[in-house]
Amino acid sequence: MTKIKICGLTNLPDALVATEAGADLLGFILFPKSPRNVTPETIATIIPEVRKVNPAIKTVGVFVNERADRIMAIVAQTGLDYAQLHGDETVDWFTSLNGHCYKALRPADAQEAATQAATFAGLSKLEGLHWMIDAYDAAAYGGTGKRADWQTAANLARQYPGLLLAGGLTPGNVAQAIRVVQPWGVDVASGVEAEPGRKDHAKVRAFVRMVRKTTTD
């Protein structure tokens, strides 16, 4: 069954809706320049509450060019399960974080995607989740609503299992994305928002419902 990550969460009501709807992973962005930035202190208050609803849910901190020691400190402070490296990190981060992380790739073209996947997809030690593809944008690290290259993602997903697909997913197109790419999981942020940093609860539920319907039909 395709895993679902609802990302860009900033508050408890949105996190609870995502959990109750059936998300497998919740994502919190720890990047001050993001409109979805959230503090470690807030994350630390949210995680215990969502685990009352689903003790098995996994939580992800999204970091951009943050020092490895700082990432480890935030993970310890908040109770986050995984670190998503969404900047220009190198393979050294995986050693420092004991492989308890995965790399988000934002390739400009198919060749760059292939090179980056070969470098990073095998480094994660997480169960199931090994790497991610997001849409390319020269001016932003993510959350743009642009769609990733599904065909490139599909080709690489067959070579490197554990792909989390992001980039422009919505309740309206996620079924097609799953059929084309066959990813380990799908990741949505702006596609289920009322505004940056605040979720549209109906869209969150619709997204989860569509993924479940697609992968059980």
Side-chain angles (χ1 to χ4, degrees), residues 108-160:
D109 53 42
Q111 182 57 54
E112 187 171 86
T115 300
Q116 292 181 354
T119 300
F120 289 104
L123 296 177
S124 173
K125 295 179 181 178
L126 302 178
E127 183 178 354
L129 175 54
H130 294 152
W131 64 295
M132 175 178 171
I133 278 190
D134 198 355
Y136 175 76
D137 189 301
Y141 283 102
T144 63
K146 292 184 177 180
R147 201 176 93 173
D149 182 338
W150 291 353
Q151 195 55 59
T152 293
N155 293 339
L156 291 172
R158 289 192 288 270
Q159 298 178 58
Y160 306 103

Side-chain angles (χ1 to χ4, degrees), residues 155-180:
N155 293 339
L156 291 172
R158 289 192 288 270
Q159 298 178 58
Y160 306 103
L163 169 64
L164 182 61
L165 178 67
L169 297 178
T170 68
N173 68 17
V174 69
Q176 182 186 3
I178 291 170
R179 286 192 289 266
V180 171

Side-chain angles (χ1 to χ4, degrees), residues 14-166:
D14 288 354
L16 287 173
V17 165
T19 304
E20 291 162 356
D24 302 287
L25 305 101
L26 305 180
F28 302 92
I29 297 174
L30 292 128
F31 180 49
K33 294 182 180 180
S34 170
R36 303 170 185 89
N37 181 55
V38 61
T39 66
E41 291 76 15
T42 297
I43 297 171
T45 66
I46 292 173
I47 289 178
E49 297 303 316
V50 298
R51 287 191 173 142
K52 291 177 183 177
V53 178
N54 178 7
I57 201 161
K58 298 299 182 182
T59 56
V60 181
V62 179
F63 299 91
V64 177
N65 300 330
E66 186 60 81
R67 297 193 325 269
D69 62 335
R70 174 66 174 153
I71 293 173
M72 291 294 288
I74 291 174
V75 167
Q77 175 186 355
T78 59
L80 287 164
D81 294 298
Y82 309 147
Q84 177 178 310
L85 307 180
H86 211 97
D88 307 305
E89 300 87 3
T90 64
V91 297
D92 300 342
W93 263 259
F94 285 80
T95 301
S96 299
L97 298 172
N98 299 318
H100 212 62
C101 57
Y102 62 93
K103 186 75 173 75
L105 310 181
R106 300 172 292 105
D109 53 42
Q111 182 57 54
E112 187 171 86
T115 300
Q116 292 181 354
T119 300
F120 289 104
L123 296 177
S124 173
K125 295 179 181 178
L126 302 178
E127 183 178 354
L129 175 54
H130 294 152
W131 64 295
M132 175 178 171
I133 278 190
D134 198 355
Y136 175 76
D137 189 301
Y141 283 102
T144 63
K146 292 184 177 180
R147 201 176 93 173
D149 182 338
W150 291 353
Q151 195 55 59
T152 293
N155 293 339
L156 291 172
R158 289 192 288 270
Q159 298 178 58
Y160 306 103
L163 169 64
L164 182 61
L165 178 67

